[in-house]
Amino acid sequence: MLEIDICGIKFKNPVFLASGIMGETGSALKRIAKGGSGAVVTKSVGLYPNPGHKNPTIVEVYGGFLNAMGLPNPGVDEYIEEIKSVKKDLEKMGVRVIGSIYGKDEKEFMDVAKKIESFVDAIELNISCPHAKGYGATIGQNPEMSYNVCAAVKDVVKIPVFAKLTPNVSDIVEIAGAVVEAGVDGLVAINTVRGMVIDIKAKKPILSNKFGGLSGKAIKPVGIKAVWDLYENFDVPIIGVGGIMSGEDAIEYMMAGASAVQVGSGVYYRGYNVFKKICDEICSFLKEENLTLKEIVGLAHR
Ligand code: RRO
């Protein structure tokens, strides 16, 4: 009932793990897969190991989390070993792997993409981290840089390539236009929303990086509007992410135009099995409404 095909890849269901701290190791990916996800997106990996920002890197706020992890990762070579250690188990469970990668320019993106290509089913280009100077949104807020990175990666890999977009722009459609023109196979929206929390007793921002990216329930309407606008303007699959905790949230994203969704903060609030729970809730809704999954994608536009 929930099987989908995106860019020729078959997924057992449309509820994926979003890139983030739950995807830092092979064993974490396996635990998420056991929780029923249709795919796991890795933590964003770069060419070299990166320790990330100093603590505190994450704080719970009303409606979600504010994080500035700072792209911590062991580098693509070591991360590939993590994927290799669980790839067979994930395959047995029918769970796809999407490799999230970052770099400072098209050359670095290409190098990482080439290295990881044969270990993953698709690549997600992280051009949207809200607080990584020179990386992430530095690229994703600039249409020309976004085009160059996406076109370069598309040139060197054969598997589907998705671009993850930042909401921290005045016009997400402009950036999406650039990456679609560059040939990406799908769009992922949204990365976290830039924000800050100040400890009034300490009289300074809580995060060591001062500002970070907001995830969780609070950003769902921002994500829904982004997916809506992308669906209105482009003919490529869209993967919705931002504040999805329940089947109802996932259906809302799908009616806005998402073919699949990703869950990050929801793992904290509903446990590892959040993926199975969301799938069950989607199934109940489809049965009640006598609809198919395909029929609800973009339904609110008709
Ligand atoms: O590692 C992070 O701090 C991070 C990344 Br790469 C991202 O894409 N989005 C985010 O909120 N944090």
Side-chain angles (χ1 to χ4, degrees):
M1 189 174 199
L2 294 185
E3 294 88 9
I4 51 158
D5 182 314
I6 297 179
C7 306
I9 307 174
K10 293 204 173 5
F11 295 91
K12 67 175 180 178
N13 70 59
V15 187
F16 306 168
L17 172 70
S19 181
I21 47 179
M22 288 312 306
E24 281 188 359
T25 62
S27 57
L29 294 177
K30 190 170 154 188
R31 184 61 192 87
I32 293 289
K34 277 190 186 160
S37 65
V40 287
V41 185
T42 69
K43 175 68 187 159
S44 295
V45 293
L47 204 48
Y48 309 108
N50 179 19
H53 291 313
K54 285 202 194 96
N55 283 328
T57 48
I58 187 160
V59 56
E60 191 171 7
V61 294
Y62 180 78
F65 292 97
L66 190 75
N67 90 82
M69 309 307 297
L71 293 147
N73 77 101
V76 64
D77 292 327
E78 202 178 313
Y79 195 89
I80 285 170
E81 297 304 315
E82 294 289 327
I83 301 177
K84 276 161 73 180
S85 71
V86 293
K87 193 84 205 320
K88 277 211 178 81
D89 294 318
L90 298 185
E91 266 164 23
K92 265 188 221 146
M93 290 185 261
V95 176
R96 302 291 189 179
V97 181
I98 300 174
S100 171
I101 66 169
Y102 73 89
K104 68 174 181 320
D105 53 27
E106 50 263 48
K107 165 96 173 62
E108 236 178 72
F109 267 97
M110 280 193 297
D111 288 347
V112 183
K114 280 190 282 187
K115 278 177 183 266
I116 209 168
E117 178 177 17
S118 50
F119 303 97
V120 296
D121 297 290
I123 287 177
E124 182 177 288
L125 302 176
N126 186 349
I127 52 169
S128 47
C129 177
H131 45 251
K133 245 193 172 165
Y135 296 87
T138 308
I139 296 165
Q141 288 170 327
N142 178 317
E144 199 183 321
M145 285 165 86
S146 298
Y147 176 93
N148 290 342
V149 163
C150 294
V153 173
K154 275 300 292 177
D155 236 23
V156 294
V157 301
K158 291 196 176 65
I159 59 176
V161 175
F162 308 134
K164 187 167 182 181
L165 304 176
T166 175
N168 303 304
V169 284
S170 53
D171 185 5
I172 199 168
V173 171
E174 184 192 11
I175 304 295
V179 304
V180 169
E181 200 191 326
V184 297
D185 303 281
L187 300 167
V188 183
I190 54 174
N191 207 315
T192 50
V193 176
R194 221 171 255 146
M196 181 184 276
V197 179
I198 291 174
D199 180 335
I200 59 169
K201 285 276 160 61
K203 303 170 189 70
K204 59 178 192 176
I206 291 181
L207 297 178
S208 77
N209 186 58
K210 297 193 173 64
F211 69 95
L214 184 63
S215 64
K217 267 183 197 300
I219 70 166
K220 194 181 75 175
V222 181
I224 296 286
K225 171 73 163 74
V227 168
W228 176 279
D229 289 346
L230 299 176
Y231 187 83
E232 291 267 304
N233 286 281
F234 305 103
D235 199 17
V236 294
I238 302 162
I239 302 178
V241 52
I244 297 166
M245 307 287 145
S246 66
E248 284 79 5
D249 296 331
I251 288 161
E252 200 180 335
Y253 265 96
M254 289 173 172
M255 288 190 177
S259 297
V261 296
Q262 296 178 356
V263 178
S265 303
V267 179
Y268 175 81
Y269 294 108
R270 296 189 76 194
Y272 289 110
N273 295 337
V274 62
F275 304 95
K276 183 172 177 351
K277 290 176 190 170
I278 292 177
C279 286
D280 289 348
E281 289 156 4
I282 296 173
C283 283
S284 302
F285 180 86
L286 294 177
K287 272 187 209 136
E288 263 166 45
E289 299 280 332
N290 198 23
L291 286 164
T292 64
L293 195 62
K294 255 200 178 140
E295 284 167 345
I296 64 170
V297 175
L299 187 59
H301 294 259
R302 297 194 269 275

